[in-house]
Amino acid sequence: MKALVLTGKKQLALQDLPTPMVAANEVLVNTAYAGICGTDRALYAGLPGSADAVPPIVLGHENSGTVAAIGANVTNVKVGDRVTVDPNIYCGQCDYCLTDRPELCDHLSAVGVTRDGGLEQSFTAPASVVYRVPDNVSLKAAATTEPISCAVHGLKLLKLTPYQKALVIGDGFMGQIFAQLLQAYGVHQVDLAGRSDDKLAFNHEKFGVTRTFNTTRDTLPADYDVVIEAVGLPQTQEQAVEATKKGAQVLMFGVGQPDQTFSMNTYEVYQKQLTIQGAFINPYAFKDSLALLASGQLDVESLISHEVSLEQVEDVLNGQVSGVSKAVVKVQ
């Protein structure tokens, strides 16, 4: 089978690999689509993701496809089912797993990070992380379930109520997902800040974002109960704290560099009684994410800017393809 293998830092090779054997508790998936995200760019550059990717490895942790075979002990899916895969696999035995914080698992493994993922024609995953896709959700949309689930997990860490005013900083794929999710979760006013006038106007007209701000020329008001930082740069992280009103919550969702820092006024944190919250991966958020897709409250296909082949993946990862908001790889 055809597979795109990470063989070293910034080195990808298209190889012919044998179709993997399926173990008793595993599922073999024929990949339909695999999403490309910032984590893949980090792994390609030799940086860590949710865990370290040690070459040779097949990336691709955002996947959808069709069940090709099941192990002897698998009962939750059958051959022919349309599925998506939560890449994160928890040990179930460490202190974090045993205290209901599996995302912080000391022995985390992941499809497309520590074991071969969806940038190949077929891959295996434990049955426990394989989810059937609702009939009215396309496999192209289903390939984005993992990033949606990371955003859903972030929102679960906050206290959301309808009266709140929320601001999302970042008009990339994840920022636009958050803008839709906050409305689906009942927040009555959701504003969006970014650098693309076209994306800001699109989200206002299509998804009902109330106000938009272009951060290259607009000042963000300090008027928000909830602020989502979905960029991961020091300047936007500082803007997120500064845009708060008293009693606000800030979700630091954007992923910065491992050695990155930002500054904030600690007296303001005290005086406003702010909650500043991090969010790591996506524990048990796939069911909610698929339900949101099936309900129509979340439109992701409108946000997918590029559909590429395995042969074009490296061009996306190294920045040779311009204007990418969200790219998915059509594998089969």
Side-chain angles (χ1 to χ4, degrees):
M1 67 170 184
K2 187 187 296 185
L4 188 64
V5 182
L6 181 70
T7 57
K9 182 178 178 180
K10 294 189 176 181
Q11 295 177 358
L12 289 170
L14 201 59
Q15 299 180 2
D16 186 19
L17 299 181
T19 300
M21 300 294 293
V22 61
N25 293 308
E26 290 185 338
V27 175
L28 179 68
V29 178
N30 286 341
T31 315
Y33 290 93
I36 300 175
C37 82
T39 297
D40 294 305
R41 293 185 179 90
L43 296 172
Y44 173 70
L47 297 172
S50 59
D52 292 332
V54 180
I57 192 79
V58 177
L59 302 181
H61 63 278
E62 303 177 3
N63 304 304
S64 67
T66 305
V67 175
I70 59 174
N73 298 335
V74 174
T75 59
N76 61 319
V77 295
K78 64 182 185 300
V79 172
D81 281 350
R82 301 161 65 250
V83 296
T84 182
V85 177
D86 182 345
N88 297 303
I89 305 162
Y90 313 117
C91 77
Q93 299 178 32
C94 70
D95 284 347
Y96 295 107
C97 286
L98 295 176
T99 53
D100 199 29
R101 296 172 292 168
E103 68 273 25
L104 304 177
C105 175
D106 280 331
H107 309 290
L108 181 71
S109 60
V111 175
V113 181
T114 63
R115 57 185 284 167
D116 287 348
L119 292 181
E120 59 184 355
Q121 290 180 306
S122 301
F123 68 96
T124 60
S128 59
V129 297
V130 178
Y131 293 78
R132 284 195 296 265
V133 173
D135 291 341
N136 66 336
V137 176
S138 72
L139 286 176
K140 187 174 182 178
T144 68
T145 309
E146 191 274 343
I148 294 168
S149 70
C150 291
V152 167
H153 169 59
L155 294 186
K156 286 182 177 181
L157 296 172
L158 303 178
K159 295 178 181 178
L160 298 177
T161 60
Y163 77 81
Q164 292 167 331
K165 291 174 59 178
L167 172 69
V168 179
I169 300 177
D171 57 13
F173 178 73
M174 291 310 303
Q176 294 179 86
I177 289 293
F178 270 113
Q180 293 184 57
L181 282 177
L182 285 161
Q183 294 178 79
Y185 275 62
V187 176
H188 90 282
Q189 179 175 331
V190 179
D191 298 346
L192 180 63
R195 305 197 312 182
S196 168
D197 286 333
D198 289 342
K199 288 182 181 179
L200 294 172
F202 174 77
N203 279 267
H204 174 68
E205 294 163 8
K206 185 172 180 64
F207 299 129
V209 167
T210 307
R211 297 178 66 191
T212 61
F213 302 92
N214 188 310
T215 54
T216 65
R217 57 177 183 266
D218 298 329
T219 300
L220 301 179
D223 193 33
Y224 292 97
D225 304 288
V226 175
V227 182
I228 310 293
E229 198 284 336
V231 181
L233 295 175
Q235 56 267 40
T236 50
Q237 291 165 337
E238 291 169 9
Q239 285 177 321
V241 177
E242 292 165 0
T244 56
K245 63 194 301 185
K246 290 189 289 187
Q249 304 167 83
V250 180
L251 181 66
M252 292 296 184
F253 184 86
V255 182
Q257 296 294 318
D259 59 350
Q260 182 176 299
T261 62
F262 71 95
S263 62
M264 61 182 172
N265 185 317
T266 55
Y267 183 83
E268 183 178 16
V269 175
Y270 152 75
Q271 189 268 334
K272 288 184 176 180
Q273 193 172 294
L274 299 181
T275 299
I276 299 175
Q277 175 72 56
F280 184 64
I281 62 173
N282 63 335
Y284 307 119
F286 258 52
K287 293 286 284 186
D288 284 337
S289 301
L290 288 167
L292 286 160
L293 285 170
S295 71
Q297 295 180 84
L298 195 57
D299 174 4
V300 292
E301 291 203 47
S302 295
L303 305 181
I304 295 173
S305 58
H306 290 71
E307 182 179 308
V308 300
S309 66
L310 286 173
E311 291 82 359
Q312 296 171 301
V313 169
E314 190 159 18
D315 290 340
V316 175
L317 293 176
N318 63 24
Q320 291 187 36
V321 179
S322 61
V324 176
S325 175
K326 181 63 177 181
V328 297
V329 185
K330 189 173 184 180
V331 178
Q332 294 292 342

